[in-house]
Amino acid sequence: MSALVDGFGRTVRYLRISVTDRCDFRCVYCMAEEMTFLPRAQLLTLEEIATLSQAFVELGVEKIRLTGGEPLVRQGVLTLVEKLGKLAGLGELAMTTNGSGLVKHASALRQGGLDRLNISLDSLKPERFKALTRTGDLDQVVAGIRAARRAGFQSIKLNAVLLKGRNDDEILDLVNFARDEQVDISFIEEMPLGAISEHNRGETFLSTDKVREIIANHYPLLPTTETTLGPSRYYRMADSQSRIGFISP
């Protein structure tokens, strides 16, 4: 079969699949507090997702990432992971999650063939975390991060969306947490996705250039050419194995 090439001449090697639009959090930069989700009949079945994934791998896709909403709220997603984990030719299977289900599912995900995890973590302050996610429990997510570490994933990365005046005072705390937990972390500019009414995106916008400057004043950052086929631009610190990534929309 021919390889997948986009209109800019780039070979497509990385596929993201949203397995559900539902989530057990209602993060203020992502969703309204009261949401109307798609009828289940309009979603691909897990069997259809597995069939499409095989077709994409045959066309040269090397990495698949399962996303949501929150993928772990989709009934049967562990079975899907097991199917995709057996695809001949797939180099890497990853998942983005809010971490709330990892205490329960981390071990089974790893055993099923999941290689990498991205875990959302926007604050280390319990009350602030609850305010940003509206329904999330920080202790549960931190326990999930540690369960994932014990499960032995090839890589674990934290994702932090920074909002000026809301959690930008925790930039170094989040870096230090990633260093202590021996995981990577990416800082993400708020993206203009989804209808929200909780805040004005223009007022809370914080550029990744400013975030990088704040970190570099404490930890000199060494640029790298490393890639996970995703959008992060990675930097390293001389005294840590944790990488720091920056994502702009």
Side-chain angles (χ1 to χ4, degrees):
M1 291 186 181
S2 301
L4 290 172
V5 179
D6 70 9
F8 294 94
R10 299 172 297 188
T11 300
V12 178
R13 298 187 293 151
Y14 176 22
L15 175 68
R16 297 170 64 96
I17 302 174
S18 174
V19 299
T20 180
D21 60 339
R22 298 172 186 267
C23 187
D24 48 347
F25 288 5
R26 296 289 185 273
C27 295
V28 298
Y29 52 79
C30 181
M31 290 185 176
E33 194 162 4
E34 298 295 330
M35 288 292 299
T36 300
F37 296 107
L38 289 172
R40 292 188 184 277
Q42 293 186 21
L43 298 179
L44 292 174
T45 67
L46 297 180
E47 291 76 13
E48 289 170 334
I49 292 173
T51 299
L52 282 171
S53 298
Q54 180 174 350
F56 275 105
V57 170
E58 291 172 357
L59 289 168
V61 164
E62 301 169 11
K63 175 179 177 179
I64 292 177
R65 176 175 298 281
L66 302 178
T67 71
E70 169 50 44
L72 292 179
V73 304
R74 176 79 188 258
Q75 188 173 0
V77 73
L78 293 177
T79 301
L80 176 63
V81 167
E82 291 174 356
K83 290 181 179 179
L84 300 189
K86 297 175 182 176
L87 284 179
L90 181 63
E92 183 177 304
L93 181 60
M95 177 181 286
T96 296
T97 173
N98 63 29
S100 63
L102 287 177
V103 169
K104 181 178 180 181
H105 296 301
S107 180
L109 288 169
R110 184 67 185 110
Q111 291 173 13
L114 195 74
D115 302 305
R116 295 176 181 265
L117 276 175
N118 284 8
I119 305 169
S120 298
L121 183 69
D122 300 326
S123 176
L124 294 167
K125 298 180 179 181
E127 292 304 315
R128 178 179 288 176
F129 184 87
K130 183 65 176 286
L132 289 171
T133 62
R134 294 196 181 102
T135 59
D137 183 321
L138 176 63
D139 288 341
Q140 183 178 6
V141 172
V142 171
I145 293 168
R146 292 172 178 163
R149 288 188 61 203
R150 291 192 299 272
F153 287 90
Q154 291 180 14
S155 173
I156 298 171
K157 185 182 76 170
L158 308 179
N159 285 340
V161 175
L162 294 176
L163 306 176
K164 186 166 62 177
R166 298 293 296 269
N167 64 344
D168 54 326
D169 58 333
E170 293 190 67
I171 293 170
L172 292 176
D173 290 339
L174 287 163
V175 170
N176 288 329
F177 178 80
R179 288 164 58 94
D180 291 343
E181 296 293 328
Q182 299 179 321
V183 298
D184 297 334
I185 185 167
S186 281
F187 292 98
I188 305 172
E189 288 180 3
E190 184 179 12
M191 299 187 185
L193 300 174
I196 61 170
S197 58
E198 202 272 347
H199 65 268
N200 183 309
R201 284 186 168 124
E203 295 175 355
T204 58
F205 175 78
L206 184 67
S207 73
T208 55
D209 289 341
K210 180 62 177 177
V211 177
R212 187 168 58 248
E213 178 184 333
I214 291 170
I215 297 170
N217 285 335
H218 290 78
Y219 297 113
L221 297 176
L222 309 172
T224 77
T225 58
E226 296 170 292
T227 179
T228 58
L229 300 182
S232 279
R233 294 169 292 156
Y234 284 105
Y235 293 75
R236 284 196 176 272
M237 298 167 281
D239 62 342
S240 174
Q241 291 300 308
S242 296
R243 298 180 302 175
I244 299 179
F246 300 95
I247 300 175
S248 301

